[in-house]
Amino acid sequence: MILAENKLAGFFVLDAGEAVKEYTESSGTFLIRSYSIHPDYQGKGVGKKSLKLLPSFINHHFPTKNKVVLGVNYKNTTAQHLYIRSGFVDTNRHIFGSQGKQFVYQMDIKKA
């Protein structure tokens, strides 16, 4: 859960299951699924702050994990910019998700 002003502002899932293999061959990786910020909190820095806090959260609670990957839709340029500004890099890999073609982005948690 992502909280802002003690209210639910968004959420995401850290997936360590088999689905990770579709995005990377690297072990020790989480897949971010369903990253979403409530419309009332969009454009207010909540998303960027939550992603900037992610490395320390993972390092503290899941010290064996060293990367995070996600898929972002080609058409969702707002999300692409958020992820890049928050420390993700484009891996130059692509997948096809339920919403079509996606970029695969990755963040090295130990360096973030």
Side-chain angles (χ1 to χ4, degrees):
M1 293 189 318
I2 300 168
L3 301 176
E5 303 165 352
N6 292 319
K7 295 181 182 174
L8 181 61
F11 78 101
F12 59 92
V13 175
L14 290 175
D15 184 347
E18 290 295 311
V20 174
K21 293 178 183 175
E22 184 177 353
Y23 295 80
T24 183
E25 294 178 9
S26 178
S27 62
T29 302
F30 271 130
L31 168 63
I32 292 182
R33 291 184 171 274
S34 304
Y35 184 85
S36 180
I37 301 296
H38 188 279
D40 290 349
Y41 293 95
Q42 291 177 2
K44 297 180 179 179
V46 173
K48 186 175 181 182
K49 184 175 182 182
S50 71
L51 292 171
K52 287 288 188 182
L53 292 171
L54 188 59
S56 63
F57 175 84
I58 292 174
N59 281 328
H60 180 76
H61 294 284
F62 305 98
T64 62
K65 299 295 182 185
N66 56 26
K67 293 183 181 171
V68 176
V69 294
L70 58 83
V72 59
N73 191 286
Y74 265 45
K75 296 177 184 177
N76 193 347
T77 57
T78 301
Q80 292 168 26
H81 293 298
L82 169 66
Y83 295 134
I84 295 296
R85 286 192 318 263
S86 300
F88 283 85
V89 295
D90 187 347
T91 65
N92 294 315
R93 290 190 312 273
H94 307 101
I95 62 164
F96 287 88
S98 62
Q99 301 297 313
K101 195 172 183 179
Q102 297 181 353
F103 292 108
V104 175
Y105 286 1
Q106 177 177 294
M107 178 191 288
D108 186 336
I109 295 299
K110 300 304 178 192
K111 292 182 182 176

